[in-house]
Amino acid sequence: MSVVEVQLEGVTKRFGNVVAVNDLTLKIKDKEFMVLLGPSGCGKTTTLRLIAGLEKVTKGRIFFKDEVVDDGETIFIPPQKRNVSMVFQSYALFPHMNVFENIAFPARIKKLPNREVKKRVYELADLLRIKDLLNRKPHELSGGQQQRVALARALMIEPSVLLLDEPLANLDAKLRVYMRAELKRIQKEFSCTTVYVTHDQIEAMSMADRITVLNMGKLQQVGTPDELYDKPSNLFVAGFIGSPPMNIIECTLVGTKYLDFGSFKLKIPEDWAEVLYREELVFGIRPQDILVSKSKRDGAVNFYVYVSEPLGDRIILTLVKDDMMIKALADKSTRVNMREEVWVIFNLEKAHIFDKKTGKLII
Amino acid sequence: MSDVLKKISEPTLRVVGYVVLVVMCMYILTPLLWLLLTAFDPEGGPYLKLPKSITLDNFVMLFIGKPIKGRAGAAHPFYMNVWLKNSFFIASVVLVIIIITASMAAYALSRLDFTGKSLLMTFILLIGFMPSMAKILPLFKLCLMFGFIDNLFGVAVVIASSLLPTQIWILKGFFDSIPRELEEQAWVCGCGYLSTLMRVVLPVAGPGIAVIALLSFLGAWGSFTIPLILIRSEDLYPVSLGIASVFIHNPGEIGLAVDYGPLCALSIVYALPSLAIYYLTRKYLMQIKVGKMEVR
Amino acid sequence: MSLLRYLKRYSSEIILASFLVPALVLLLIFQLIPTIWTIWFSFTDMALIGKKLIHPSFIGLKNYVDMLNDSIFWQSMKVTFEYCLASLVLRFILGLLAALYLTSKMFRGKTILAAIFLLPYIIPGAIHPYVWISMLDTRYGTLNRILLFFGLTPQSWVYKRAMESVVMINSWAGYALAMLILSSAITSIPKEFYEVADIYGASRWQKFSKITLPLIKYPVILSLVLIFKEDIDDFTYVYMFTEGGPHYRTELLSLYAYHKAFAYFELGYGCAVGVIIAIIVFVLTLAQLKLGGV
Ligand SMILES: Nc1ncnc2c1ncn2[C@@H]1O[C@H](COP(=O)(O)OP(=O)(O)OP(=O)(O)O)[C@@H](O)[C@H]1O
Ligand SMILES: [Mg+2]
């Protein structure tokens, strides 16, 4: 298969007054599994449809490798000629065809010889474990089966780009976990450039080579799952990635040594002081990086237990102090009662500082 | 009203419902019962009575074209075979034209977004609102220009154009109810617009096609005014004109001097194809999607 | 040049738009042009015979002014109003009733019922008048025999009760249109709505008036529009039964236009009456569509 990278250059898409995608510049590498992640209505589907050619850009350009497929003015390659495959959020299986014909559909359009089509449909059905379903009509399938049929159809001809729009959204939790792994394996096997849309950050983290985070049509950050987790470039990404989400606490810098949280102060590492150019800051720390103990320790701050939610192996603790509320992950063995006083140590090496005004990451 | 209805218990309501139903069915069926009985009656008249004996003469007479010996029969010759053939030709051409043009137009109207779309829809609905009788002369002159006088194909084209607006509206409702993703999926797979229409949209809109097929067949099969204007020569008469040529002597006097036996036989033969088409499409009739006219 | 490239970018939309062309061409040539032509004729003194057929002269609004002083015109206006209103109400109510029978859970035998209800609609219109002779005949007609059976006075349907007869035939022949549209609409209402209503103990009437009616508002309006259009346009039954009589009591506007044009050869005047009908239909249809918020 030929090398295909997809490149978006300053792409804007408007629907009347709604700006669905706002000045998006993005490069999806060849064979990459790229995940588009963001809250509902942030423009993920629109981006995908722009790549597929189902929408025309208002401004900006889209490239497939070196070829411009849409430049917002004169050039527009229609979806029929882009050689992409797409799995819609609703699967869009043709209700009048059985599973076999649904899967074979793209090959039929390309007029491939019947023998070849049959062989390939059986291969795919085998791979996706839907061999027994080939004679059924779509309305006789469960959600998960429909999803696999849609996927098989998308893989029927080797597409330049595979576009998947929340394909797992309608599945039950168990099937979703199974399909997550399966999809990732299949993508590697077929090694085609893939754009995968989801609003589920766990899905994104577990499957992606790289993740693009969108919010309100604007690009927030692009990077590998680790980069996004460890170095979220702004408050939005920080709050969106990770579960339970990162604690975001406003604070001010006092002199060069302390962060003032109102009810308590924290001493900061020396090397921080050099980069902190502002007094109004936001302190971010993941629940995993908060150490909770029942006994008083050096440098620890006292909080009170508000709620504790056991997860099985760990416990999410919601802690309060005055009007501040944080979440912490504690060991299962940490037995605490409501309103009990606990002592908290922040692992400052893993903590982040953001500029309160711009929301940008400083440390 | 609501209080009254509330007090009526379910069984009472059911009884009232059945009584009304029986009255309604009588209203619908009594005239037709006459039609059925008289067709097989050797001496039928314009009144409901049980035939003393049953005969097929009336039907035979239709097809051999002249009165049977020894029977007081129709004074006029019948050309039932010719009429039926002409009616079939007209109806099938209309069917083809309407299915093709209406489905293409309705598809475009359903899928395109442009300013003035609702205006266009209203325009299409209203375009035929000039009474056809007032349009006789212009239509005649126009058809003279196209060579559509005494031309069954031409008659079919004109009939199709008069049936088109309603069919477009009905079909658009069906198309609106088909998710767009289905077509977008087909495009992504490499289907052109026409082949998407043929391979995906039309099969999925099957019920809609069946409905407009029935409606336009009924419209064309029964059409009277347009053939009346456009057809001069008797061997091109469809059944509707044929009936009129045999049985109407003067307008306003249809009750007089009519040969009821053959008339009823003819009516039954005339109605059979419509019934057949109804039988084929009956499953889909209750699925008409008038949709919302909400056209953004 | 840039226009060409612009066109190329929107080629898919253009292809789709071109799907409209065949239908629009048909409609323009065989519907719009005759309509406009008719409007033009209505401003002339065109006659069906003599040299005025070939060389009509423009006489401005004279036909319309004449109409104002034409008592028969006003008479047929009144007749048309009665006929259309009566037909509209009957056709709609019968259609709604039939639709309710076909969709209600209370009654059985839907398939047969549907076939029976549809019979008049399926049977070609040219047969309808003959079929009704047997009902309306004064001496032997079924209707009068039924009246006699119940000890009521028989009527001279075709002559004395001409309007009632024609409305009766028309509603018989045409209620199925509303039935088809309304029953389709009612079937498409999700069952859950009624189940929710049942949970809250809604009565039958409440369910009908609070759920069914609002949800089929648009189909109701559409069927009213289509019924009205058919009624005002079509004069087959009066033409065959009464020829407008007696004393113009069934002279519908459309029949009057026909008479003027083809019996009195005043084609221009006939066209003017046709234009008036078209304007009435146009205005009322738009009003109905607007009222329905469509
Ligand atoms: N055809 C359209 N017309 C008008 N507005 C639209 C259209 N399609 C999308 N939008 C708007 O554009 C914005 C982005 O929509 P989009 O479907 O891309 O969101 P999304 O990220 O896929 O959301 P979700 O996760 O809910 O699917 C939304 O505000 C939506 O209302
Ligand atoms: Mg979406």
Side-chain angles (χ1 to χ4, degrees):
Chain A
M1 200 194 303
S2 57
V3 180
V4 186
E5 33 169 67
V6 179
Q7 211 174 327
L8 286 78
E9 205 180 83
V11 168
T12 300
K13 176 68 190 178
R14 274 199 201 93
F15 296 106
N17 290 327
V18 183
V19 186
V21 176
N22 192 353
D23 196 19
L24 177 65
T25 299
L26 183 65
K27 187 167 173 178
I28 301 153
K29 293 183 212 144
D30 185 38
K31 298 190 176 47
E32 183 174 41
F33 197 118
M34 172 66 95
V35 171
L36 291 184
L37 178 65
S40 187
C42 70
K44 308 178 295 285
T45 300
T46 307
T47 310
L48 210 61
R49 292 170 58 85
L50 285 168
I51 297 174
L54 296 172
E55 307 278 358
K56 296 186 168 76
V57 304
T58 311
K59 227 172 71 195
R61 290 194 289 184
I62 299 178
F63 296 86
F64 276 22
K65 206 171 167 223
D66 302 322
E67 187 197 2
V68 182
V69 293
D70 190 352
D71 70 349
E73 283 159 20
T74 57
I75 304 169
F76 176 76
I77 311 278
Q80 288 91 338
K81 301 202 180 119
R82 291 199 185 182
N83 193 30
V84 297
S85 274
M86 184 154 174
V87 174
F88 286 82
Q89 203 161 352
S90 55
Y91 309 144
L93 297 181
F94 302 122
H96 58 296
M97 298 178 190
N98 65 15
V99 169
F100 182 95
E101 281 307 320
N102 259 293
I103 299 176
F105 186 80
R108 298 266 190 247
I109 300 301
K110 297 241 151 57
K111 300 211 165 59
L112 299 187
N114 202 19
R115 282 241 318 279
E116 214 171 295
V117 173
K118 259 194 182 146
K119 187 165 150 267
R120 183 137 179 85
V121 171
Y122 285 125
E123 269 174 30
L124 281 168
D126 217 15
L127 186 77
L128 290 160
R129 295 177 203 156
I130 46 177
K131 236 184 168 160
D132 306 332
L133 310 175
L134 288 178
N135 288 321
R136 293 205 204 163
K137 286 275 176 75
H139 66 88
E140 299 164 330
L141 301 179
S142 75
Q145 292 166 334
Q146 288 184 20
Q147 192 258 318
R148 281 176 283 168
V149 175
L151 195 62
R153 178 175 61 187
L155 297 170
M156 185 65 198
I157 47 156
E158 295 195 343
S160 307
V161 185
L162 180 61
L163 303 169
L164 305 166
D165 192 354
E166 307 201 26
L168 307 186
N170 299 342
L171 307 188
D172 67 58
K174 195 172 156 209
L175 194 56
R176 190 177 314 178
V177 172
Y178 165 74
M179 284 307 299
R180 223 152 66 188
E182 200 76 340
L183 250 180
K184 190 168 176 174
R185 184 181 63 75
I186 290 168
Q187 194 266 341
K188 290 294 168 237
E189 197 165 304
F190 281 77
S191 65
C192 54
T193 311
T194 303
V195 185
Y196 182 103
V197 162
T198 179
H199 58 241
D200 179 350
Q201 54 96 15
I202 300 183
E203 215 167 281
M205 299 292 279
S206 63
M207 296 169 83
D209 291 331
R210 286 197 305 157
I211 298 175
T212 302
V213 183
L214 293 174
N215 186 31
M216 316 253 286
K218 266 192 159 325
L219 180 72
Q220 304 296 319
Q221 188 174 5
V222 191
T224 62
D226 287 346
E227 281 169 4
L228 260 62
Y229 190 82
D230 296 335
K231 269 198 164 323
S233 71
N234 60 31
L235 278 171
F236 178 81
V237 179
F240 201 75
I241 303 250
S243 168
M246 183 185 277
N247 294 298
I248 308 276
I249 313 160
E250 288 181 15
C251 59
T252 43
L253 182 67
V254 186
T256 55
K257 282 194 177 152
Y258 289 98
L259 285 179
D260 184 0
F261 291 89
S263 50
F264 64 95
K265 288 196 177 78
L266 275 186
K267 191 172 187 308
I268 54 176
E270 268 163 34
D271 51 337
W272 282 22
E274 295 161 21
V275 280
L276 291 180
Y277 51 89
R278 237 186 238 287
E279 293 195 339
E280 304 275 282
L281 298 171
V282 175
F283 178 79
I285 187 156
R286 297 201 180 276
Q288 291 86 333
D289 303 324
I290 297 177
L291 202 70
V292 181
S293 67
K294 284 191 170 186
S295 51
K296 186 168 179 174
R297 291 216 218 152
D298 207 21
V301 187
N302 67 322
F303 274 79
Y304 294 90
V305 178
Y306 186 67
V307 187
S308 87
E309 306 163 66
L311 290 183
D313 55 342
R314 282 167 308 170
I315 301 174
I316 303 177
L317 292 176
T318 308
L319 307 172
V320 288
K321 182 182 177 72
D322 298 339
D323 53 357
M324 178 190 298
M325 185 178 278
I326 61 172
K327 283 191 188 293
L329 268 184
D331 209 62
K332 186 177 167 182
S333 55
T334 324
R335 292 247 166 267
V336 288
N337 298 317
M338 296 259 256
R339 299 213 182 101
E340 192 178 327
E341 189 178 33
V342 288
W343 296 90
V344 163
I345 293 178
F346 299 101
N347 182 356
L348 289 186
E349 271 177 22
K350 297 251 179 100
H352 300 284
I353 305 283
F354 301 90
D355 184 331
K356 187 181 169 191
K357 211 160 135 210
T358 61
K360 290 247 161 59
L361 181 75
I362 301 174
I363 294 169
Chain B
M1 181 86 186
S2 75
D3 292 338
V4 180
L5 260 185
K6 230 181 254 167
K7 277 185 209 126
I8 301 175
S9 64
E10 177 115 337
T12 326
L13 196 64
R14 193 186 293 256
V15 169
V16 171
Y18 273 115
V19 169
V20 173
L21 184 62
V22 167
V23 172
M24 240 178 108
C25 285
M26 274 172 61
Y27 174 51
I28 295 164
L29 290 179
T30 334
L32 297 174
L33 186 66
W34 170 77
L35 189 72
L36 196 65
L37 292 179
T38 313
F40 296 96
D41 191 338
E43 43 205 19
Y47 39 81
L48 192 63
K49 75 168 175 68
L50 277 178
K52 289 204 188 72
S53 59
I54 285 184
T55 174
L56 285 177
D57 282 359
N58 295 325
F59 290 91
V60 175
M61 206 184 311
L62 287 183
F63 291 96
I64 61 171
K66 52 181 187 283
I68 292 177
K69 257 211 205 108
R71 262 213 56 196
H76 294 259
F78 293 97
Y79 302 103
M80 197 61 194
N81 301 321
V82 181
W83 298 339
L84 277 177
K85 202 187 79 206
N86 292 336
S87 273
F88 263 116
F89 181 82
I90 292 178
S92 29
V93 174
V94 167
L95 209 61
V96 171
I97 294 180
I98 292 223
I99 289 183
I100 293 176
T101 56
S103 57
M104 284 172 72
Y107 180 56
L109 284 172
S110 168
R111 289 333 193 209
L112 274 179
D113 283 326
F114 55 91
T115 40
K117 190 161 104 170
S118 63
L119 210 65
L120 183 63
M121 288 291 291
T122 318
F123 173 74
I124 287 177
L125 188 66
L126 291 179
I127 197 169
F129 271 21
M130 175 74 79
S132 35
M133 273 301 167
K135 285 186 301 198
I136 286 184
L137 196 72
L139 203 57
F140 186 81
K141 286 189 165 185
L142 203 67
C143 290
L144 212 55
M145 274 169 22
F146 281 97
F148 277 3
I149 303 298
D150 264 354
N151 176 341
L152 286 183
F153 180 79
V155 172
V157 170
V158 177
I159 293 176
S161 82
S162 72
L163 297 174
L164 205 47
T166 320
Q167 313 307 324
I168 292 179
W169 267 60
I170 291 179
L171 208 49
K172 177 177 176 286
F174 275 96
F175 286 157
D176 283 347
S177 72
I178 299 175
R180 272 179 200 222
E181 278 96 2
L182 287 187
E183 292 144 67
E184 289 174 344
Q185 181 69 63
W187 299 343
V188 167
C189 293
C191 265
Y193 293 94
L194 205 55
S195 95
T196 305
L197 185 59
M198 303 300 285
R199 279 168 179 269
V200 176
V201 181
L202 289 189
V204 176
I209 304 293
V211 168
I212 68 158
L214 173 75
L215 294 182
S216 49
F217 181 88
L218 292 182
W221 188 250
S223 73
F224 179 78
T225 330
I226 293 170
L228 183 71
I229 303 168
L230 298 182
I231 293 180
R232 309 273 103 177
S233 62
E234 295 203 358
D235 49 350
L236 291 179
Y237 275 3
V239 186
S240 53
L241 287 191
I243 295 186
S245 79
V246 176
F247 295 113
I248 296 191
H249 307 285
N250 292 300
E253 299 179 357
I254 65 161
L256 305 173
V258 166
D259 319 300
Y260 287 98
L263 170 72
C264 291
L266 199 161
S267 301
I268 287 178
V269 173
Y270 187 22
L272 283 181
S274 302
L275 289 170
I277 290 256
Y278 162 71
Y279 187 76
L280 291 177
T281 55
R282 70 192 184 290
K283 267 210 317 257
Y284 308 115
L285 274 183
M286 298 293 161
Q287 300 178 16
I288 296 180
K289 303 244 181 2
V290 257
K292 284 190 299 190
M293 188 167 106
E294 228 10 280
V295 270
R296 254 181 304 132
Chain C
M1 192 56 216
S2 70
L3 179 70
L4 211 66
R5 280 158 70 187
Y6 183 81
L7 287 181
K8 198 160 169 227
R9 178 171 167 80
Y10 287 94
S11 57
S12 57
E13 278 85 349
I14 291 169
I15 292 173
L16 208 49
S18 72
F19 283 12
L20 278 168
V21 171
L24 285 184
V25 165
L26 268 186
L27 289 175
L28 289 184
I29 295 181
F30 294 104
Q31 298 294 322
L32 189 62
I33 291 181
T35 303
I36 293 173
W37 220 338
T38 304
I39 295 175
W40 159 244
F41 285 169
S42 76
F43 294 111
T44 69
D45 61 355
M46 182 179 251
L48 202 62
I49 44 169
K51 69 175 201 296
K52 283 291 182 194
L53 177 60
I54 320 284
H55 301 292
S57 38
F58 181 75
I59 54 166
L61 289 172
K62 181 163 182 305
N63 285 328
Y64 293 93
V65 175
D66 287 351
M67 221 182 288
L68 291 178
N69 302 316
D70 180 349
S71 63
I72 302 177
F73 170 76
W74 288 111
Q75 161 77 12
S76 51
M77 193 73 135
K78 196 181 119 240
V79 168
T80 308
F81 178 75
E82 288 167 11
Y83 174 78
C84 286
L85 192 67
S87 293
L88 189 72
V89 170
L90 268 178
R91 285 178 71 174
F92 180 75
I93 291 189
L94 280 175
L96 182 62
L97 212 58
L100 290 178
Y101 276 119
L102 290 185
T103 51
S104 155
K105 274 192 297 220
M106 225 156 88
F107 302 94
R108 310 273 229 84
K110 299 275 158 51
T111 339
I112 294 170
L113 262 192
I116 290 176
F117 284 160
L118 272 168
L119 268 179
Y121 192 68
I122 298 167
I123 283 171
I127 304 176
H128 295 165
Y130 301 107
V131 172
W132 272 84
I133 294 171
S134 72
M135 293 292 281
L136 298 179
D137 191 84
T138 311
R139 234 182 316 158
Y140 306 112
T142 318
L143 210 53
N144 276 347
R145 286 203 265 167
I146 294 176
L147 287 182
L148 273 176
F149 179 81
F150 286 108
L152 301 166
T153 16
Q155 305 285 329
S156 161
W157 288 106
V158 181
Y159 300 101
K160 294 254 171 57
R161 303 234 166 244
M163 179 58 95
E164 288 88 335
S165 305
V166 177
V167 168
M168 200 151 45
I169 304 174
N170 188 39
S171 335
W172 178 83
Y175 72 88
L177 181 68
M179 178 189 87
L180 275 184
I181 295 176
L182 294 178
S183 59
S184 299
I186 295 174
T187 3
S188 72
I189 300 174
K191 274 200 302 293
E192 287 81 355
F193 291 2
Y194 295 104
E195 288 165 3
V196 168
D198 278 337
I199 290 171
Y200 293 111
S203 71
R204 195 178 300 281
W205 171 251
Q206 281 171 330
K207 276 191 276 187
F208 179 72
S209 63
K210 296 266 156 62
I211 301 176
T212 312
L213 266 191
L215 284 176
I216 60 171
K217 186 174 102 181
Y218 170 74
V220 164
I221 286 166
L222 185 69
S223 47
L224 288 179
V225 168
L226 292 178
I227 289 175
F228 180 69
K229 196 249 152 178
E230 270 185 22
D231 285 344
I232 202 168
D233 186 358
D234 186 35
F235 59 79
T236 326
Y237 305 130
V238 281
Y239 176 76
M240 297 185 109
F241 264 102
T242 64
E243 185 64 358
H247 300 292
Y248 297 107
R249 281 222 310 274
T250 56
E251 183 90 350
L252 297 181
L253 266 185
S254 48
L255 185 60
Y256 185 54
Y258 174 77
H259 277 153
K260 271 292 177 193
F262 294 97
Y264 301 101
F265 305 128
E266 293 174 40
L267 205 81
Y269 194 91
C271 287
V273 176
V275 171
I276 294 292
I277 300 175
I279 291 174
I280 295 174
V281 180
F282 199 83
V283 169
L284 285 183
T285 305
L286 281 185
Q288 279 171 320
L289 291 178
K290 269 270 137 34
L291 274 185
V294 190

